[in-house]
Amino acid sequence: NKPKKVSVNCGGVSGGRRHIFKGSASWVLPWHGILVGTEFQMQSGLPITRTWTPQQCSVTVTTNCLNQSQSLNVEPRGSVELDWLRVTDIRVGKTLHVRQHTFDLSVDAYNLFNANTVYSVNTNSTTRQVRYAGDPNQPITIIPNYLSPNNALGPRIVRFNVTYSFGQ
């Protein structure tokens, strides 16, 4: 008799985003040659899987432990999806010609609507102990690691640009 192969939580969704849409466009407006450009990205949330890492066996820990560090799925893969990620960037610019010189003036706005979407989280079912402002006199607060943010979309950034070309 062959031993049966047992798969634990091998079903479900894993991997990347299901939907990604990116678009960009630019226009030169009919009055004064002003350039307007935009880029838009919309991506479905990443599927995540809750995990748990049992403690390693040692001289003092002999039960409910593993001989190697291993993370186990405790929910079906991809049972939780993060929020959709939506980002809009825009540029407005104008080119000026002064004799044999060219000035390109533009303004870029990244993350125009100032979204603060979380796109990466902890998946481990452990907890951590923190104290307010790291002050040892404050009481310990225990917070879960699961779904605590690792990365969030950066804030809106506005950049002003000037490019000077000479001798043209």
Side-chain angles (χ1 to χ4, degrees):
N1 285 345
K2 284 179 154 183
K4 285 187 175 183
K5 183 177 181 181
V6 177
S7 300
V8 178
N9 282 341
C10 64
V13 176
S14 63
R17 301 177 187 279
R18 292 181 189 188
H19 309 284
I20 297 176
F21 172 78
K22 293 182 180 183
S24 62
S26 63
W27 306 269
V28 176
L29 301 177
W31 59 93
H32 304 294
I34 295 174
L35 169 76
V36 176
T38 186
E39 179 177 279
F40 177 75
Q41 296 180 42
M42 193 164 88
Q43 303 175 21
S44 61
L46 285 172
I48 62 166
T49 303
R50 188 174 195 153
T51 61
W52 175 66
T53 306
Q55 58 186 338
Q56 282 189 283
C57 296
S58 66
V59 174
T60 56
V61 178
T62 58
T63 59
N64 296 326
C65 60
L66 294 175
N67 288 325
Q68 61 187 18
S69 179
Q70 184 173 355
S71 185
L72 305 172
N73 293 349
V74 294
E75 290 180 350
R77 290 189 306 181
S79 57
V80 173
E81 276 190 6
L82 298 179
D83 291 337
W84 280 68
L85 184 62
R86 295 173 182 89
V87 183
T88 302
D89 303 332
I90 192 167
R91 167 177 273 208
V92 177
K94 170 78 175 145
T95 300
L96 302 172
H97 300 283
V98 180
R99 296 188 186 144
Q100 294 181 349
H101 309 283
T102 303
F103 295 92
D104 288 313
L105 309 172
S106 62
V107 177
D108 296 320
Y110 302 100
N111 190 8
L112 183 65
F113 300 112
N114 206 26
N116 63 348
T117 307
V118 172
Y119 60 88
S120 174
V121 296
N122 287 312
T123 60
N124 201 305
S125 298
T126 58
T127 58
R128 70 181 115 178
Q129 299 178 356
V130 296
R131 294 180 192 268
Y132 178 75
D135 182 354
N137 297 319
Q138 295 293 325
I140 291 176
T141 302
I142 297 174
I143 59 173
N145 282 326
Y146 182 63
L147 294 181
S148 62
N150 287 334
N151 290 304
L153 194 58
R156 177 187 310 119
I157 296 173
V158 178
R159 182 176 73 182
F160 298 91
N161 312 291
V162 176
T163 304
Y164 168 66
S165 303
F166 52 92
Q168 295 291 332

